[in-house]
Amino acid sequence: MCAKVPPRGAAMHQPMNILATREKMTFKASITRRVLMVKTVAASCATLSVLSAQAQTMLLESDSQAKTLGYKADASKIDKKQQPRNEAGQICSNCILYQGAANSTLGGCPLFPGKQVAAKAWCSAYAKKG
Ligand code: SF4
């Protein structure tokens, strides 16, 4: 009729050990969630940054500054008579002023603030990189 009494000490520590383990697991899960949230926010910011760069307007050949500098979106289509300064192989992506990343198709240029120039474009302000 008597309930079996657990040995001294053992019964008292077991529930606390389980509780401690659960607290550790909850704490670890909490940290993992925080890390995941931070990584998600960081990834979102990076994506927004890329989208923001892409959202910049593409420079048009009809832009008044572009016309002044003889900008052509495709350097291979430049009329050499009109642009005698142009030489084969000169494109924005190897110009010192080009701000696009390596292998990018578009990038910024300080001569056209807020606009993106094509990596294969050219203008008369071209200066060979490095
Ligand atoms: Fe391209 Fe260089 Fe002219 Fe800018 S200055 S448009 S990067 S050729």
Side-chain angles (χ1 to χ4, degrees):
M1 295 295 269
C2 284
K4 198 173 181 180
V5 178
R8 231 177 181 193
M12 293 300 287
H13 292 295
Q14 217 170 27
M16 290 185 77
N17 284 344
I18 290 170
L19 189 61
T21 304
R22 282 189 185 156
E23 284 176 359
K24 282 181 192 170
M25 288 172 63
T26 305
F27 181 69
K28 281 183 182 175
S30 172
I31 287 176
T32 304
R33 263 184 256 129
R34 274 190 218 138
V35 168
L36 181 64
M37 285 174 59
V38 168
K39 285 183 178 178
T40 303
V41 169
S44 299
C45 289
T47 303
L48 286 174
S49 173
V50 169
L51 290 175
S52 168
Q54 288 176 345
Q56 283 186 330
T57 313
M58 176 86 176
L59 179 65
L60 299 175
E61 292 177 4
S62 58
D63 179 285
S64 61
Q65 174 80 351
K67 278 184 179 177
T68 303
L69 293 173
Y71 175 85
K72 288 285 177 195
D74 185 350
S76 68
K77 294 181 179 169
I78 290 174
D79 182 351
K80 302 279 184 191
K81 289 177 186 163
Q82 286 185 338
Q83 297 294 344
R85 253 195 100 238
N86 176 262
E87 293 175 18
Q90 292 181 343
I91 55 175
C92 288
S93 65
N94 59 35
C95 171
I96 198 164
L97 296 175
Y98 185 68
Q99 298 172 331
N103 301 321
S104 60
T105 56
L106 294 171
C109 172
L111 299 184
F112 304 102
K115 305 267 171 86
Q116 297 271 294
V117 297
K120 294 185 176 183
W122 181 91
C123 87
S124 60
Y126 175 89
K128 190 175 170 62
K129 193 183 286 182

